[in-house]
PDB file of all heavy atoms in Angstrom:
ATOM      1  N   PHE W  44     168.616 138.663 -44.263  1.00 95.00           N
ATOM      2  CA  PHE W  44     168.855 139.682 -45.279  1.00 95.00           C
ATOM      3  C   PHE W  44     170.082 140.497 -44.906  1.00 95.00           C
ATOM      4  O   PHE W  44     170.470 140.590 -43.746  1.00 95.00           O
ATOM      5  CB  PHE W  44     167.633 140.587 -45.494  1.00 95.00           C
ATOM      6  CG  PHE W  44     167.194 141.369 -44.292  1.00 95.00           C
ATOM      7  CD1 PHE W  44     167.728 142.623 -44.027  1.00 95.00           C
ATOM      8  CD2 PHE W  44     166.244 140.856 -43.427  1.00 95.00           C
ATOM      9  CE1 PHE W  44     167.318 143.345 -42.921  1.00 95.00           C
ATOM     10  CE2 PHE W  44     165.823 141.578 -42.321  1.00 95.00           C
ATOM     11  CZ  PHE W  44     166.366 142.828 -42.061  1.00 95.00           C
ATOM     12  N   SER W  45     170.695 141.064 -45.941  1.00 96.00           N
ATOM     13  CA  SER W  45     171.896 141.873 -45.762  1.00 96.00           C
ATOM     14  C   SER W  45     172.103 142.714 -47.010  1.00 96.00           C
ATOM     15  O   SER W  45     171.445 142.519 -48.024  1.00 96.00           O
ATOM     16  CB  SER W  45     173.118 140.985 -45.521  1.00 96.00           C
ATOM     17  OG  SER W  45     173.327 140.150 -46.640  1.00 96.00           O
ATOM     18  N   GLY W  46     173.026 143.621 -46.906  1.00 95.00           N
ATOM     19  CA  GLY W  46     173.384 144.451 -48.051  1.00 95.00           C
ATOM     20  C   GLY W  46     174.593 145.290 -47.699  1.00 95.00           C
ATOM     21  O   GLY W  46     174.874 145.538 -46.519  1.00 95.00           O
ATOM     22  N   GLU W  47     175.324 145.725 -48.713  1.00 93.00           N
ATOM     23  CA  GLU W  47     176.478 146.567 -48.456  1.00 93.00           C
ATOM     24  C   GLU W  47     176.823 147.397 -49.678  1.00 93.00           C
ATOM     25  O   GLU W  47     176.458 147.062 -50.805  1.00 93.00           O
ATOM     26  CB  GLU W  47     177.686 145.763 -47.995  1.00 93.00           C
ATOM     27  CG  GLU W  47     178.281 144.839 -49.013  1.00 93.00           C
ATOM     28  CD  GLU W  47     179.489 144.094 -48.454  1.00 93.00           C
ATOM     29  OE1 GLU W  47     180.535 144.739 -48.225  1.00 93.00           O
ATOM     30  OE2 GLU W  47     179.365 142.886 -48.251  1.00 93.00           O
ATOM     31  N   ASN W  48     177.476 148.504 -49.413  1.00 91.00           N
ATOM     32  CA  ASN W  48     178.038 149.341 -50.462  1.00 91.00           C
ATOM     33  C   ASN W  48     179.394 149.846 -49.976  1.00 91.00           C
ATOM     34  O   ASN W  48     179.923 149.318 -49.001  1.00 91.00           O
ATOM     35  CB  ASN W  48     177.081 150.482 -50.849  1.00 91.00           C
ATOM     36  CG  ASN W  48     176.762 151.413 -49.694  1.00 91.00           C
ATOM     37  OD1 ASN W  48     177.508 151.513 -48.727  1.00 91.00           O
ATOM     38  ND2 ASN W  48     175.638 152.104 -49.792  1.00 91.00           N
ATOM     39  N   GLU W  49     179.941 150.880 -50.616  1.00 89.00           N
ATOM     40  CA  GLU W  49     181.265 151.369 -50.243  1.00 89.00           C
ATOM     41  C   GLU W  49     181.276 152.035 -48.866  1.00 89.00           C
ATOM     42  O   GLU W  49     182.293 152.062 -48.187  1.00 89.00           O
ATOM     43  CB  GLU W  49     181.777 152.391 -51.276  1.00 89.00           C
ATOM     44  CG  GLU W  49     181.800 151.896 -52.705  1.00 89.00           C
ATOM     45  CD  GLU W  49     180.416 151.939 -53.360  1.00 89.00           C
ATOM     46  OE1 GLU W  49     179.651 152.898 -53.141  1.00 89.00           O
ATOM     47  OE2 GLU W  49     180.081 150.990 -54.069  1.00 89.00           O
ATOM     48  N   GLN W  50     180.131 152.631 -48.456  1.00 91.00           N
ATOM     49  CA  GLN W  50     180.093 153.391 -47.216  1.00 91.00           C
ATOM     50  C   GLN W  50     179.761 152.568 -45.971  1.00 91.00           C
ATOM     51  O   GLN W  50     180.253 152.857 -44.893  1.00 91.00           O
ATOM     52  CB  GLN W  50     179.063 154.529 -47.303  1.00 91.00           C
ATOM     53  CG  GLN W  50     179.424 155.617 -48.268  1.00 91.00           C
ATOM     54  CD  GLN W  50     178.810 155.383 -49.640  1.00 91.00           C
ATOM     55  OE1 GLN W  50     177.970 154.520 -49.826  1.00 91.00           O
ATOM     56  NE2 GLN W  50     179.264 156.153 -50.616  1.00 91.00           N
ATOM     57  N   PHE W  51     178.881 151.566 -46.103  1.00 93.00           N
ATOM     58  CA  PHE W  51     178.437 150.809 -44.930  1.00 93.00           C
ATOM     59  C   PHE W  51     177.877 149.457 -45.344  1.00 93.00           C
ATOM     60  O   PHE W  51     177.636 149.192 -46.520  1.00 93.00           O
ATOM     61  CB  PHE W  51     177.393 151.592 -44.117  1.00 93.00           C
ATOM     62  CG  PHE W  51     176.149 151.932 -44.890  1.00 93.00           C
ATOM     63  CD1 PHE W  51     175.080 151.065 -44.950  1.00 93.00           C
ATOM     64  CD2 PHE W  51     176.049 153.145 -45.552  1.00 93.00           C
ATOM     65  CE1 PHE W  51     173.944 151.378 -45.667  1.00 93.00           C
ATOM     66  CE2 PHE W  51     174.912 153.480 -46.260  1.00 93.00           C
ATOM     67  CZ  PHE W  51     173.857 152.589 -46.315  1.00 93.00           C
ATOM     68  N   ALA W  52     177.653 148.608 -44.316  1.00 95.00           N
ATOM     69  CA  ALA W  52     177.078 147.283 -44.542  1.00 95.00           C
ATOM     70  C   ALA W  52     176.009 147.012 -43.485  1.00 95.00           C
ATOM     71  O   ALA W  52     176.162 147.379 -42.325  1.00 95.00           O
ATOM     72  CB  ALA W  52     178.157 146.206 -44.457  1.00 95.00           C
ATOM     73  N   VAL W  53     174.935 146.371 -43.916  1.00 96.00           N
ATOM     74  CA  VAL W  53     173.889 145.875 -43.022  1.00 96.00           C
ATOM     75  C   VAL W  53     174.006 144.359 -43.042  1.00 96.00           C
ATOM     76  O   VAL W  53     173.986 143.749 -44.109  1.00 96.00           O
ATOM     77  CB  VAL W  53     172.482 146.320 -43.481  1.00 96.00           C
ATOM     78  CG1 VAL W  53     171.407 145.670 -42.627  1.00 96.00           C
ATOM     79  CG2 VAL W  53     172.363 147.833 -43.449  1.00 96.00           C
ATOM     80  N   SER W  54     174.150 143.749 -41.861  1.00 96.00           N
ATOM     81  CA  SER W  54     174.301 142.295 -41.788  1.00 96.00           C
ATOM     82  C   SER W  54     173.418 141.731 -40.688  1.00 96.00           C
ATOM     83  O   SER W  54     172.949 142.458 -39.815  1.00 96.00           O
ATOM     84  CB  SER W  54     175.765 141.925 -41.536  1.00 96.00           C
ATOM     85  OG  SER W  54     176.190 142.482 -40.304  1.00 96.00           O
ATOM     86  N   ASN W  55     173.208 140.433 -40.724  1.00 95.00           N
ATOM     87  CA  ASN W  55     172.488 139.683 -39.690  1.00 95.00           C
ATOM     88  C   ASN W  55     171.009 140.058 -39.551  1.00 95.00           C
ATOM     89  O   ASN W  55     170.430 139.873 -38.487  1.00 95.00           O
ATOM     90  CB  ASN W  55     173.177 139.822 -38.322  1.00 95.00           C
ATOM     91  CG  ASN W  55     174.596 139.339 -38.352  1.00 95.00           C
ATOM     92  OD1 ASN W  55     174.898 138.333 -38.970  1.00 95.00           O
ATOM     93  ND2 ASN W  55     175.488 140.073 -37.720  1.00 95.00           N
ATOM     94  N   GLY W  56     170.392 140.573 -40.590  1.00 95.00           N
ATOM     95  CA  GLY W  56     168.958 140.843 -40.548  1.00 95.00           C
ATOM     96  C   GLY W  56     168.181 139.539 -40.625  1.00 95.00           C
ATOM     97  O   GLY W  56     168.561 138.624 -41.358  1.00 95.00           O
TER      98      GLY W  56
END
Side-chain angles (χ1 to χ4, degrees):
F44 61 89
S45 61
E47 67 179 290
N48 60 23
E49 305 79 39
Q50 292 94 10
F51 60 88
V53 174
S54 61
N55 301 320

